[in-house]
C-alpha cells in the first residue's frame, strides 16, 4: 500500500489485547518522568469519551515507554507505547535557508506528559517500562500506577477547583466542532503581563493564521480547533541565559534550553496546569507555548514551543509533522542508527519498487534510486539520505518540509497527514457509503465507495473493529477495467500487519480468515485503475 499501516499508530493510540468495556471510555493520565531518579509516577487523572489522540511513539526512533494494563490476577488488558518524554530530539535549523544545522539528543531531568488509556472495568494496575536501544529485552521497569490512585485523583478532579490566578480565560480562534471529535490545538503565551494581553491576542492570531496559511492545514481546517489560552506573567519576555536575561514568567519558558541556543523549553507541569484550567481532557491534543520574544527558536515534544520570530511558524509545522503525523526527518545529519525498516511512512530502506511504501506514486520511468538535481521539485522517487543516515535510507522527494523548512509537504507526507486529519472529519480519502447497512442476505455489512486512481485505498471499518475471535470474511466487487485488491490487517501491538490478502488480476476479491482476538480492518486498494466498488464483510464482535 502507498502509505505504511504504521502511520495509523498516530490515530489508534490505545490499541490493546482487550477492548474497553464501554466504547469511548478513556482515562487521561498525567505522569511525571524523573530522569535523575529513573521513575515515573502519577500526577493527575481525568475520564472522558474523547477520541484517542495522536501518539507516534516511533516516529523518530529512540527510547519509548511501554504501559501495560493488568487485572488483579496479572492478566494483560492492553499494551501501549508512547514516546519517552525524558529524551528530547532537539533540532536547530537556519532561519534563512531552512536547512538543518545541528541535532542534539537532550536528557531532560523532569518532564510531565499526558497519555490516554482504555478505562477497562477490570483494570487493577498500569505497569510502566522503558523500551528501546540500550535497554534489556524485557524493558526497564520505571513504576506502577494502581487503580486506587487513579480513582482518588478522579474524585479530586470531580470536585470544584478554583481557577489559577494567572489564567484569565480562553477563546476558540478556530471552531470546527466539539472537542471530543476534533483535533484540539491549544496555544498559550508565556512572558506576557496583564499590560501585554492585547499584544498576546494579536500574537496568538498571527500564530493561528500562520498555521492556516500552510496549504495542508488550510485544506483540513474542518478537522481541528485552535484555542487561545490567556496566561498572565509577572514580567515581559522570557529567560535568555546567553544574554544574561532572566524573567519571572508563568510557564518558565527559556531560550537556550540545555545549552542549545535555539531550543526553547517550558515547564511542562505549569503548562498542563494552565491548559487544564480551561479545557477538559478532550480539548488539549496539542499544547503549543509561545514565548514573548522575537529571537528565533522553538522545540518539539509533549509541550511544543515557538517564539514570535517570523520563521518560527515553519519550525512549528515541522515539529507537528513529527508529533501529529508520525513523519520522520528526511535530512541525513545526525546519528544514523538501526538496520531495520523505519516505521515512519516517509523513509525506507527498500529499493525494490514493489516494497517501497510510496512505490505506487513513483512513475515507471523514474530510476531507483533517483539521482539529485534532475527532476522538478515534488517529483516522487527514491532519493538517498534520510532519517539521519547519508546512505542506506531513502526519502520520497528531493526536498520537503521534513528536510528543509520553507519547502512544501511532498505528496507522500501530505497523504500521510491527510489520513490523520481524516479521522477527525470522517473523510478517509475515498468516497465510501456514509451509512453502511447490514446485508441480510450475506449476514454482514455492505459498504460502497470509489477509488480515484492507482494507489488510492479505503479502510473498512474505519478506523478498525475489535474481534473477539472467529471467522472474518470479505467479498469485494469492483470495476471490470481496473485491478482492485483486498487486504486484511491486524494490529500486533506496535504496527498494522497484513494477515490475509486476495490479489487476483481482477477487481473481484474474496477473503476468509480464522481470526484470533484483536483489532482488524479490511483495505480496498487500487493496483491500477479507478471506479466504484462494493465490499461485504463480516467481523464477529
Amino acid at each position: 500500500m502507498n502509505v505504511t499501516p504504521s502511520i495509523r499508530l498516530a490515530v489508534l493510540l490505545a490499541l490493546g489485547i482487550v477492548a474497553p468495556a464501554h466504547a469511548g471510555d478513556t482515562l487521561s493520565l498525567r505522569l511525571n518522568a524523573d530522569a535523575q531518579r529513573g521513575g515515573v509516577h502519577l500526577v493527575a487523572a481525568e475520564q472522558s469519551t474523547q477520541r484517542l489522540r495522536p501518539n507516534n511513539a516511533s516516529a523518530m526512533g529512540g527510547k519509548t515507554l511501554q504501559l501495560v494494563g493488568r487485572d488483579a490476577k496479572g492478566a494483560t488488558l492492553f499494551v501501549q507505547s508512547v514516546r519517552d518524554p525524558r529524551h528530547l530530539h532537539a533540532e536547530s535549523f537556519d532561519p534563512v535557508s531552512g536547512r538543518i544545522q545541528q541535532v542534539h539528543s537532550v536528557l531532560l531531568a523532569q518532564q510531565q506528559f499526558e497519555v490516554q488509556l482504555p478505562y477497562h472495568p477490570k483494570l487493577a494496575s498500569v505497569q510502566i517500562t522503558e523500551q528501546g536501544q540500550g535497554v534489556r529485552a524485557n524493558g526497564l521497569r520505571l513504576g506502577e500506577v494502581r487503580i486506587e490512585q487513579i480513582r482518588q485523583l478522579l474524585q479530586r478532579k470531580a470536585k470544584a477547583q478554583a481557577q489559577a490566578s494567572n489564567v484569565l480565560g480562553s477563546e476558540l480562534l478556530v471552531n470546527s466542532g466539539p472537542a471530543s471529535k476534533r483535533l484540539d490545538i491549544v496555544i498559550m503565551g508565556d512572558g506576557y503581563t496583564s499590560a501585554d494581553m492585547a499584544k498576546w491576542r494579536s500574537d496568538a492570531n498571527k500564530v493561528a493564521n500562520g498555521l492556516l496559511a500552510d496549504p495542508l492545514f488550510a485544506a483540513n481546517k474542518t478537522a481541528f480547533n485552535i484555542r487561545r489560552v490567556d496566561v498572565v506573567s509577572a514580567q515581559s519576555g522570557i529567560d535568555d541565559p546567553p544574554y544574561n536575561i532572566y524573567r519571572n514568567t508563568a510557564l518558565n519558558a527559556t531560550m537556550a534550553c540545555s545549552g542549545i541556543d535555539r531550543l526553547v523549553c517550558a515547564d511542562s507541569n505549569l503548562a498542563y496546569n494552565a491548559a487544564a484550567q480551561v479545557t477538559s481532557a478532550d480539548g488539549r491534543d496539542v499544547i503549543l507555548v509561545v514565548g514573548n520574544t522575537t529571537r528565533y527558536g522553538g522545540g518539539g515534544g509533549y509541550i511544543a514551543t515557538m517564539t514570535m520570530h517570523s520563521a518560527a511558524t515553519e519550525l512549528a509545522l515541522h515539529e507537528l509533522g513529527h508529533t501529529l503525523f508520525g513523519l520522520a526527518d528526511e535530512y541525513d545529519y545526525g546519528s544514523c542508527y538501526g538496520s531495520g525498516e523505519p516505521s515512519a511512512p516517509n523513509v525506507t530502506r527498500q529499493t525494490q519498487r514493489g516494497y517501497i511504501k510510496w512505490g505506487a506514486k513513483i512513475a515507471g520511468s523514474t530510476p531507483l534510486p533517483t539521482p539529485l538535481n534532475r527532476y522538478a521539485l515534488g517529483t516522487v522517487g527514491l532519493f538517498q539520505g534520510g532519517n539521519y543516515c547519508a546512505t542506506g535510507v531513502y526519502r520520497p522527494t528531493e526536498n520537503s518540509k521534513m528536510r528543509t523548512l520553507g519547502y512544501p509537504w511532498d505528496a507522500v507526507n501530505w497523504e500521510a497527514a491527510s489520513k490523520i486529519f481524516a479521522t477527525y472529519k470522517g473523510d478517509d480519502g475515498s468516497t465510501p457509503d456514509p451509512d453502511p447497512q447490514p446485508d441480510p442476505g450475506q449476514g454482514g455489512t455492505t459498504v460502497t465507495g470509489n477509488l480515484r486512481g492507482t494507489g488510492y485505498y479505503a479502510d473498512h471499518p474505519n478506523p478498525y473493529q475489535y474481534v473477539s475471535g472467529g471467522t472474518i470474511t470479505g467479498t469485494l466487487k469492483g470495476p471490470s477495467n481496473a485491478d482492485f485488491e483486498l487486504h486484511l490487517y491486524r494490529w500486533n501491538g506496535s504496527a498494522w500487519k497484513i494477515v490475509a490478502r486476495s490479489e487476483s488480476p481482477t477487481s473481484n476479491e474474496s477473503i476468509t480468515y480464522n481470526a484470533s482476538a484483536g483489532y482488524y480492518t479490511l483495505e480496498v486498494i487500487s493496483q491500477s485503475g479507478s471506479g466504484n466498488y462494493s465490499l461485504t464483510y463480516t467481523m464477529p464482535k
Side-chain angles (χ1 to χ4, degrees):
M1 60 187 291
N2 59 329
V3 174
T4 176
S6 63
I7 185 62
R8 298 188 183 106
L9 179 63
V11 187
L12 309 177
L13 172 59
L15 295 183
I17 296 172
V18 179
H22 305 287
D25 281 3
T26 304
L27 279 174
S28 178
L29 304 183
R30 196 199 310 176
L31 302 167
N32 185 80
D34 189 329
Q36 295 175 333
R37 298 181 180 179
V40 176
H41 68 268
L42 181 64
V43 176
E46 294 182 59
Q47 184 180 358
S48 74
T49 57
Q50 71 184 84
R51 182 185 299 274
L52 296 168
R53 68 179 64 149
N55 174 40
N56 301 304
S58 56
M60 293 187 293
K63 290 184 171 60
T64 61
L65 300 183
Q66 186 178 82
L67 293 89
V68 181
R70 301 189 186 279
D71 65 15
K73 295 181 179 180
T76 300
L77 302 175
F78 57 80
V79 179
Q80 178 183 323
S81 293
V82 301
R83 288 173 295 134
D84 189 335
R86 302 169 301 173
H87 297 271
L88 179 63
H89 180 83
E91 302 170 288
S92 293
F93 290 87
D94 185 292
V96 178
S97 68
R99 297 189 184 95
I100 189 67
Q101 290 186 316
Q102 290 182 314
V103 176
H104 303 269
S105 295
V106 179
L107 182 63
L108 301 172
Q110 294 268 355
Q111 276 294 99
Q112 292 194 7
F113 63 108
E114 287 189 338
V115 296
Q116 283 64 48
L117 304 172
Y119 197 0
H120 198 287
K122 294 184 179 180
L123 181 65
S125 66
V126 178
Q127 296 175 357
I128 306 163
T129 59
E130 180 182 352
Q131 307 283 330
Q133 293 180 321
V135 181
R136 61 177 181 260
N138 60 347
L140 175 64
R141 184 160 176 171
L142 298 178
E144 181 179 59
V145 177
R146 305 293 301 177
I147 188 63
E148 294 81 9
Q149 298 172 272
I150 295 173
R151 287 172 177 161
Q152 288 177 359
L153 289 172
L154 289 175
Q155 293 172 357
R156 188 182 307 172
K157 178 67 179 177
K159 297 178 181 178
Q161 293 183 349
Q163 183 163 302
S165 59
N166 61 351
V167 178
L168 296 182
S170 69
E171 179 182 354
L172 275 171
L173 304 181
V174 175
N175 185 3
S176 297
S180 60
K181 296 182 178 181
R182 293 294 182 268
L183 172 70
D184 293 282
I185 301 172
V186 173
I187 57 175
M188 60 179 71
D190 193 36
Y192 293 86
T193 68
S194 56
D196 294 327
M197 281 297 103
K199 180 180 185 301
W200 158 239
R201 294 184 180 101
S202 174
D203 286 353
N205 286 333
K206 291 178 183 177
V207 173
N209 291 336
L211 296 178
L212 292 172
D214 179 79
L216 173 63
F217 279 75
N220 292 281
K221 183 179 177 181
T222 57
F224 59 87
N225 300 324
I226 300 178
R227 178 178 292 276
R228 186 197 74 231
V229 177
D230 302 329
V231 183
V232 177
S233 292
Q235 293 181 304
S236 294
I238 62 174
D239 292 353
D240 200 342
Y243 295 91
N244 201 31
I245 296 173
Y246 296 92
R247 297 288 185 265
N248 181 6
T249 65
L251 306 178
N252 284 346
T254 179
M255 293 288 306
C257 178
S258 298
I260 302 170
D261 188 60
R262 291 172 180 165
L263 178 60
V264 179
C265 295
D267 188 306
S268 55
N269 177 39
L270 297 174
Y272 278 122
N273 285 344
Q277 297 300 322
V278 290
T279 65
S280 65
D282 303 48
R284 51 179 188 269
D285 299 316
V286 176
I287 297 177
L288 176 60
V289 173
V290 181
N292 186 14
T293 176
T294 56
R295 200 153 92 77
Y296 179 64
Y302 283 85
I303 303 295
T305 60
M306 64 176 289
T307 68
M308 287 308 300
H309 188 281
S310 59
T313 299
E314 274 296 312
L315 177 58
L317 288 167
H318 174 92
E319 295 298 342
L320 290 175
H322 296 310
T323 305
L324 290 180
F325 312 137
L327 299 173
D329 286 312
E330 294 179 6
Y331 52 77
D332 52 23
Y333 181 99
S335 299
C336 179
Y337 55 85
S339 58
E341 175 66 6
S343 62
N346 61 324
V347 288
T348 185
R349 290 183 177 272
Q350 299 289 344
T351 56
Q352 297 183 43
R353 190 180 300 268
Y355 294 97
I356 299 169
K357 299 166 186 174
W358 56 88
K361 291 185 176 295
I362 303 175
S365 59
T366 302
L368 305 179
T370 310
L372 299 176
N373 304 317
R374 284 181 52 184
Y375 294 90
L377 177 66
T379 298
V380 178
L382 191 70
F383 294 85
Q384 185 155 244
N387 206 33
Y388 324 120
C389 300
T391 60
V393 175
Y394 301 86
R395 61 187 188 276
T397 58
E398 191 162 345
N399 225 330
S400 82
K401 198 177 299 292
M402 298 312 295
R403 180 175 174 86
T404 306
L405 304 188
Y407 276 75
W409 305 92
D410 66 28
V412 173
N413 294 341
W414 182 290
E415 186 166 59
S418 295
K419 289 288 288 184
I420 301 301
F421 278 133
T423 64
Y424 293 95
K425 60 179 182 178
D427 173 14
D428 65 358
S430 66
T431 54
D433 185 342
D435 185 23
Q437 299 295 324
D439 183 345
Q442 298 292 329
T445 297
T446 297
V447 295
T448 59
N450 177 278
L451 298 182
R452 295 188 289 242
T454 302
Y456 281 85
Y457 62 96
D459 296 331
H460 304 283
N462 187 1
Y464 57 84
Q465 181 171 311
Y466 180 77
V467 173
S468 59
T471 302
I472 295 176
T473 66
T475 302
L476 172 68
K477 296 180 180 180
S480 59
N481 60 346
D483 182 8
F484 289 4
E485 296 173 348
L486 185 62
H487 297 160
L488 177 65
Y489 282 90
R490 183 182 187 275
W491 180 257
N492 68 4
S494 61
W496 287 98
K497 297 294 183 182
I498 296 177
V499 293
R501 65 181 77 209
S502 179
E503 298 176 336
S504 75
T506 73
S507 293
N508 296 327
E509 309 289 354
S510 180
I511 283 177
T512 300
Y513 181 73
N514 186 20
S516 58
Y519 290 86
Y520 293 85
T521 188
L522 283 159
E523 181 177 87
V524 181
I525 181 169
S526 171
Q527 186 67 23
S528 65
S530 62
N532 298 322
Y533 66 87
S534 68
L535 172 66
T536 299
Y537 64 90
T538 59
M539 287 193 180
K541 297 183 178 180

